[in-house]
Amino acid sequence: MKILLAPSERKSLGGEKQFNINSFPELNPARNEAIQKYDEYLQITDDTAHFGDIKTPIKKRPAKEAILRYTGVAFEYLDYKNLPNDAQNYLNENLIIFSNLFGILKPLDLIPYYTLKQGSKPGFDIYKHYKEKITEILNTYDEEYIDLRAKFYEKIYKPKNAITFKFIKDNKIISHFAKAYRGKLTRLIALHQPKRLNDVLKIEFPDIKIIEIHEKKGIKEILCEIK
């Protein structure tokens, strides 16, 4: 089974390696086209809020592993560096990160620092650009998914057989703090290494109480109360 996770706008700087994305080679033509268009757009835009002020082409920037590049709330609580080796290996194999720029990535893909806020369009609709190919790639796998992405990313890919989580506190659905719990869940899943969706439901989640499970068209939505 695979875990789907959104990227983060917050990223670490630097890197000592060269750009290299080995995962999902079927996506390379679309990925290379997106990178080229992004590089070209950076040369003409003054929108530093959404795209930063780095003009260096993407593939010439210093790179590091995607799992270490993204440093937002979910990745902070995932705390990949301090996981045991077997849990890291589980994520290396089974975690799929939905990147705004690169489409889909595995944790060890080497990517540079870049700025591309969620929903931004670098001269073209990058989400529409990737949607058909990513759907084709992921639908060919006979996999169950644990979908821990923000709902925004369903516009790129919506799995047919998955678990999703919705978090509530004081009878209200939370959004920002949901990122922390997505990171916590990813960490716990890596530690327990479930093989099927039903195995996920057997994991004891500290600070989380499962209230209801709704199932529709192969998607199980787990309603969780944060203690």
Side-chain angles (χ1 to χ4, degrees):
M1 66 187 315
K2 303 298 184 191
I3 307 163
L4 308 181
L5 196 62
S8 65
E9 291 183 5
R10 193 173 77 202
K11 303 173 186 69
S12 61
L13 298 172
E16 298 179 349
K17 301 177 181 179
Q18 293 183 334
F19 177 92
N20 188 19
I21 298 178
N22 285 320
S23 63
F24 309 108
E26 318 95 299
L27 195 60
N28 281 343
R31 190 181 280 138
N32 289 333
E33 183 180 353
I35 291 171
Q36 180 179 347
K37 288 182 176 180
Y38 177 81
D39 282 339
E40 291 171 352
Y41 190 72
L42 287 184
Q43 303 306 313
I44 61 173
T45 185
D46 293 322
D47 186 359
T48 58
H50 286 78
F51 301 99
D53 58 359
I54 300 175
K55 303 295 185 181
T56 305
I58 283 292
K59 292 185 178 182
K60 293 184 178 180
R61 301 181 190 181
K64 67 171 66 170
E65 290 79 1
I67 196 69
L68 304 179
R69 177 67 69 192
Y70 296 111
T71 57
V73 175
F75 291 88
E76 181 181 340
Y77 279 84
L78 167 57
D79 193 17
Y80 174 88
K81 280 186 176 181
N82 291 313
L83 281 170
N85 287 339
D86 65 327
Q88 288 186 354
N89 291 336
Y90 180 85
L91 290 180
N92 295 343
E93 178 63 28
N94 296 299
L95 180 63
I96 299 174
I97 302 170
F98 276 67
S99 163
N100 294 322
L101 180 57
F102 303 114
I104 46 178
L105 301 168
K106 289 288 190 72
L108 299 185
D109 285 324
L110 299 173
I111 62 171
Y113 177 88
Y114 66 97
T115 303
L116 183 61
K117 290 186 178 294
Q118 178 180 294
S120 298
K121 296 180 180 180
F124 69 109
D125 190 333
I126 199 165
Y127 303 100
K128 184 178 180 181
H129 174 78
Y130 277 124
K131 179 179 174 62
E132 183 177 347
K133 191 60 181 179
I134 288 177
T135 298
E136 178 186 324
I137 291 170
L138 295 185
N139 279 352
T140 59
Y141 299 144
D142 184 22
E143 292 282 1
E144 296 176 313
Y145 292 100
I146 305 169
D147 192 352
L148 297 174
R149 302 170 300 164
K151 203 166 184 66
F152 174 88
Y153 290 91
E154 288 184 358
K155 66 170 60 181
I156 307 174
Y157 177 68
K158 191 170 184 177
K160 297 178 180 179
N161 191 7
I163 284 180
T164 65
F165 289 83
K166 184 179 289 185
F167 305 98
I168 64 169
K169 186 171 185 177
D170 300 328
N171 296 318
K172 295 181 180 179
I173 297 173
I174 63 171
S175 54
H176 178 72
F177 287 108
K179 297 177 182 179
Y181 285 92
R182 291 183 187 118
K184 287 183 177 183
L185 287 175
T186 305
R187 183 178 182 84
L188 284 168
I189 289 164
L191 290 169
H192 286 84
Q193 301 174 28
K195 292 183 172 61
R196 307 289 297 178
L197 292 183
N198 287 337
D199 296 333
V200 178
L201 300 179
K202 297 175 184 178
I203 300 173
E204 292 188 14
F205 299 118
D207 304 325
I208 296 175
K209 177 184 178 182
I210 295 178
I211 301 175
E212 296 177 359
I213 301 176
H214 302 284
E215 186 167 0
K216 185 177 181 180
K217 296 182 179 179
I219 305 298
K220 291 182 179 178
E221 182 182 74
I222 315 299
L223 186 62
C224 302
E225 182 178 22
I226 297 172
K227 299 178 183 178

